Amino acid sequence: MLFHTFNSQMESEKCGSSAFLELQFCKLPARSDLETLVAVEYIIPWQNDSLYIHDARLFDREYRSVFDCGIYSNLKVGTVDLWGINYYPPSSIDVLIQKTDAKKPLECETLKAWLNQAKAYNGFYILGM
């Protein structure tokens, strides 16, 4: 299973590790500037409504070409950084869903359902390990 959800951080630790990628809804206001959106001090990890990935290599192999438009904390854009902050604005969500539909990577229906939920927020993050 590639994607996981947890009710608490304790539950995730029972999986044998706390080393997960975290797909997290951006709950900052839409009026926030980009520097704030990607600043580590405004991101609180281990949200219960996040989607977690334990196998970063498998995620990278299956989804690298899908998540190729993330905004890093240095404001550059590129493929998902498995060790850093990747921000995806609301305008990118439908594009990512289309790419997922085209490529059909592992467990894509789980991801698409979560991405559809992300439309209610100011985009989302992929937080590296």
Side-chain angles (χ1 to χ4, degrees):
M1 187 170 184
L2 182 60
F3 297 108
H4 305 273
T5 56
F6 300 109
N7 294 315
S8 69
Q9 189 172 355
M10 278 181 35
E11 186 180 330
S12 71
E13 290 170 359
K14 288 180 184 175
C15 257
S17 174
S18 62
F20 291 90
L21 297 175
E22 180 178 358
L23 279 73
Q24 182 186 106
F25 300 128
C26 176
K27 297 175 182 171
L28 293 171
R31 68 182 183 281
S32 301
D33 62 37
L34 192 53
E35 289 84 6
T36 298
L37 291 171
V38 296
V40 69
E41 60 265 24
Y42 294 105
I43 300 170
I44 301 168
W46 293 105
Q47 298 294 306
N48 289 340
D49 55 2
S50 291
L51 197 58
Y52 295 93
I53 301 156
H54 190 265
D55 191 335
R57 283 189 216 145
L58 179 58
F59 177 78
D60 188 52
R61 184 179 72 229
E62 292 288 317
Y63 285 95
R64 176 171 278 290
S65 65
V66 172
F67 292 102
D68 62 353
C69 57
I71 302 169
Y72 308 140
S73 58
N74 65 4
L75 305 181
K76 294 187 181 199
V77 176
T79 57
V80 65
D81 176 2
L82 300 176
W83 299 99
I85 296 170
N86 306 267
Y87 171 68
Y88 297 85
S91 60
S92 69
I93 294 172
D94 283 331
V95 173
L96 294 169
I97 291 171
Q98 290 170 358
K99 287 181 180 182
T100 301
D101 280 338
K103 187 173 188 290
K104 303 252 186 275
L106 187 66
E107 296 185 41
C108 63
E109 294 304 319
T110 301
L111 176 66
K112 286 181 359 184
W114 189 89
L115 287 172
N116 277 309
Q117 291 178 34
K119 292 177 182 181
Y121 298 93
N122 189 15
F124 68 97
Y125 301 102
I126 297 179
L127 305 176
M129 294 197 238

